[in-house]
Amino acid sequence: MRAGLFVALLAVSLAWMLWAQARMQHRVLSFLVGRAGGSSSRGARVTHLVQAAAALIAVLVLAAAVLVELRWNAVYLRVPLAASVLLVYVPFAATLGRTKLRKVRKTVEQRMNELGAPPAVTTAIARAGRPWSLFGSLVMLAAVLILTWHHLRN
């Protein structure tokens, strides 16, 4: 039962990530293409900077969630902190990930081309964002583990 809770929450988190990522992707890609200004190197730099800043904040929030659990046994703080990472950061990190549903969903490059970005910029931004998308998936696993920590621990 305890492992079932982890798996169920992981499935719900994955479904949320896919739904929210589709909603958030247009704004994130518009921002990155706008900041790139037609330069592929600037696009890659901005992508790394924005994704790294978001990842750092997410890791710090998860660390705070673990700290409040260990020090004060504060479930009322741990759960909202870990849930906020699942609700906000994980879909944000997934916006630049590769999609396996090529016939159903457009690729990141196709979406940026629709926004008017040159092909070199779309390739640079997509390439720079893929490792951060993978990192977001790992953060999702960590956040789900932190959310279910109390049930897995006992």
Side-chain angles (χ1 to χ4, degrees), residues 2-3 8 11-12:
R2 293 175 187 190
V12 168

Side-chain angles (χ1 to χ4, degrees), residues 4-16 137 140-141 144 148:
L5 178 65
F6 177 80
V7 173
L9 188 56
L10 188 61
V12 168
S13 298
L14 185 60
W16 166 256
S137 299
M140 178 179 64
L141 288 172
V144 169
T148 59

Side-chain angles (χ1 to χ4, degrees), residues 48 75 80 84:
H48 282 300
V75 175
S84 68

Side-chain angles (χ1 to χ4, degrees), residues 2 6 9 22-23 28 36 57-58 60 63 66 68 72 86 88-90 98 109 137 144 146 150 154:
R2 293 175 187 190
F6 177 80
L9 188 56
R23 298 271 188 221
V28 171
I57 292 168
L60 289 175
V66 170
V68 299
W72 299 291
L86 282 174
V88 178
Y89 172 71
V90 172
R98 281 190 177 172
E109 291 91 342
S137 299
V144 169
I146 290 169
H150 184 74
N154 293 330

Side-chain angles (χ1 to χ4, degrees), residues 38-101:
S39 169
S40 60
S41 62
R42 189 178 317 142
R45 256 193 331 268
V46 167
T47 302
H48 282 300
L49 182 66
V50 168
Q51 291 286 341
L56 178 64
I57 292 168
V59 169
L60 289 175
V61 169
L62 287 179
V66 170
L67 180 70
V68 299
E69 175 70 23
L70 291 176
R71 181 159 292 183
W72 299 291
N73 199 22
V75 175
Y76 55 89
L77 289 175
R78 174 183 51 89
V79 170
L81 288 172
S84 68
V85 170
L86 282 174
L87 293 174
V88 178
Y89 172 71
V90 172
F92 175 75
T95 57
L96 294 170
R98 281 190 177 172
T99 177
K100 299 292 183 192
L101 306 171

